[in-house]
Amino acid sequence: MSAAVTFVHEQLTAVKEFPKFKAGDNVTVNYKIVEGGKERIQSFRGDVIKIQGNGATATFTVRKISEGIGVERLFPFASPNVDSIVLNKVGKVRRARLFYLRERSGKRARIKEKRF
């Protein structure tokens, strides 16, 4: 019974294909913004500091420094407003939650790029 329900649920909710990324990666999230009757796409580029949840409630947090001030934004994976996600750099980190970046600034807040 539950297998049939999950099958129908997967068919109805169109899940966009995003690149595989993890905490420490630098991504650009292209997000739809509605202002009045107009709709535009705004890009938010920064480092992923955490990914949480699973299924429909999964979200990821992106942090960037804008004019010397840290800005964090939470994006749901299942949101229809997330237009696309572009993976810019793969970061070399040793943990899944990078909250220590909040206390750091300048060179100390940089994440090394993983070389392949």
Side-chain angles (χ1 to χ4, degrees):
M1 173 63 191
S2 66
V5 171
T6 54
F7 176 74
V8 170
H9 184 69
E10 286 170 7
Q11 297 300 316
L12 291 174
T13 58
V15 177
K16 292 193 189 88
E17 282 299 313
F18 296 129
K20 285 280 180 203
F21 61 90
K22 56 179 181 33
D25 295 352
N26 188 284
V27 295
T28 303
V29 182
N30 295 314
Y31 199 74
K32 282 186 204 140
I33 290 181
V34 179
E35 292 173 330
K38 288 189 291 235
E39 195 176 83
R40 66 185 176 87
I41 291 179
Q42 179 175 321
S43 60
F44 190 92
R45 180 176 177 160
D47 296 316
V48 178
I49 62 166
K50 77 171 173 179
I51 297 175
Q52 74 175 28
N54 53 16
T57 60
T59 60
F60 61 101
T61 305
V62 181
R63 178 179 175 84
K64 73 172 181 179
I65 305 294
S66 179
E67 297 175 23
I69 296 170
V71 180
E72 286 181 17
R73 186 139 184 217
L74 193 92
F75 295 101
F77 279 104
S79 172
N81 291 332
V82 174
D83 187 57
S84 64
I85 300 171
V86 180
L87 182 61
N88 303 319
K89 288 182 193 166
V90 178
K92 184 180 175 186
V93 292
R94 291 162 64 177
R95 57 191 66 235
R97 306 283 163 107
L98 306 178
F99 298 140
Y100 65 88
L101 291 176
R102 291 173 178 165
E103 281 79 52
R104 297 188 180 187
S105 62
K107 268 188 169 180
R108 294 178 66 212
R110 285 194 304 195
I111 297 172
K112 278 190 178 160
E113 189 174 355
K114 190 184 262 187
R115 298 279 177 209
F116 294 104

